[in-house]
Amino acid sequence: MNLSLQNITVSIGKKTILENVHYTVIPHTFTHIKGNNGSGKTVFLQTLLGFYKVKGKRTTVYDTKQIIYIPDTPFFHDNTTLREVLLTYTYFYSVSQDTIQQILEFLEINHPLNLKVSTLSLGTQKKLMILPLFFEPKSLYVLDEITLGLDDVTKNKVIERLIDLQHQHKTILITEHNENIIHKIKQSIHIKEVLCQDKNIISIS
């Protein structure tokens, strides 16, 4: 795996979001990307994954089957049923329906499969989004505000899972505004921190 940005500038429309960014993902590390709302954290993560055209040199070499990307907002169409969501996961992640059912029970999702996503609470929608976090471990996790909207019990399950993945030497990039979440994780593993500020990425630790 090789993800690096060298002198990268990203513009959306006429607005420059990132400018002259130099960053290389260090394998097997847990990195917390800090920054205020609107500072460009999401664009930074998506730039690493090749979502945007950029000025500069971007190197993105990785096995797409070994990556889990969970964005910060629901990505299901309102008219999609719960069954269709689960079938999509089964297809794209090659995970069995039995495994998905076990994770649904673990996350306490017990709704009828014919319900549309739009009828589910935002908390349940968020639980659906984070299902891949609990699939068979992959090499790279890119996670954008995945605990936002979750109840405390589910947040603790996410924390335990992230710590477990890091103990398995997986590479994790995460944005997380809830400092309590980061503090709890820090009690078990080392976290590298970078700051997204002034259109750039600054290493803190």
Side-chain angles (χ1 to χ4, degrees):
M1 180 186 71
N2 184 358
L3 282 83
S4 67
L5 307 176
Q6 298 178 40
N7 198 30
I8 288 292
T9 295
V10 181
S11 298
I12 299 177
K14 295 182 179 180
K15 184 177 182 180
T16 299
I17 308 299
L18 300 173
E19 190 170 21
N20 300 324
V21 172
H22 292 263
Y23 187 81
T24 298
V25 174
I26 301 174
H28 314 305
T29 59
F30 188 115
T31 302
H32 176 214
I33 298 95
K34 304 176 67 173
N36 295 329
N37 289 331
S39 61
K41 300 185 300 298
T42 294
V43 172
F44 169 63
L45 293 179
Q46 294 177 343
T47 298
L48 281 171
L49 297 176
F51 284 24
Y52 295 101
K53 291 183 178 180
V54 301
K55 293 181 180 179
K57 183 179 180 181
R58 174 178 56 203
T59 302
T60 54
V61 180
Y62 53 83
D63 181 354
T64 55
K65 294 182 179 180
Q66 284 297 314
I67 181 171
I68 297 288
Y69 170 55
I70 302 178
D72 61 338
T73 54
F75 50 81
F76 311 119
H77 190 279
D78 284 348
N79 289 326
T80 303
T81 65
L82 180 54
R83 178 181 286 106
E84 290 169 334
V85 171
L86 302 182
L87 288 174
T88 300
Y89 280 146
T90 299
Y91 175 78
F92 280 103
Y93 290 101
S94 299
V95 60
S96 71
Q97 293 186 26
D98 286 343
T99 297
I100 288 183
Q101 184 58 44
Q102 291 173 8
I103 298 171
L104 290 175
E105 293 174 2
F106 177 67
L107 294 178
E108 300 180 5
I109 302 174
N110 53 14
H111 302 280
L113 297 182
N114 63 345
L115 286 184
K116 293 183 178 180
V117 168
S118 59
T119 67
L120 303 174
S121 69
L122 292 179
T124 299
Q125 291 184 41
K126 195 60 181 256
K127 286 183 180 182
L128 285 178
M129 290 177 61
I130 67 169
L131 279 182
L133 184 68
F134 299 91
F135 293 168
E136 180 180 349
K138 306 296 183 182
S139 298
L140 173 64
Y141 291 79
V142 180
L143 312 171
D144 197 355
E145 296 293 344
I146 62 170
T147 69
L148 185 64
L150 294 177
D151 59 85
D152 289 341
V153 172
T154 307
K155 286 178 183 177
N156 287 331
K157 291 176 180 179
V158 168
I159 290 170
E160 292 172 2
R161 177 60 170 171
L162 291 174
I163 292 171
D164 180 59
L165 288 170
Q166 181 57 28
H167 285 159
Q168 296 181 57
H169 308 292
K170 306 305 178 183
T171 304
I172 301 171
L173 299 170
I174 186 171
T175 68
E176 177 57 66
H177 279 296
N178 189 336
E179 288 296 332
N180 288 331
I181 301 290
I182 297 301
H183 176 70
K184 289 180 180 179
I185 297 173
K186 279 183 176 179
Q187 293 177 342
S188 299
I189 62 173
H190 174 70
I191 297 181
K192 294 178 60 64
E193 291 191 324
V194 299
L195 177 64
C196 189
Q197 179 177 283
D198 297 330
K199 302 178 183 179
N200 214 321
I201 302 297
I202 305 164
S203 293
I204 301 175
S205 61

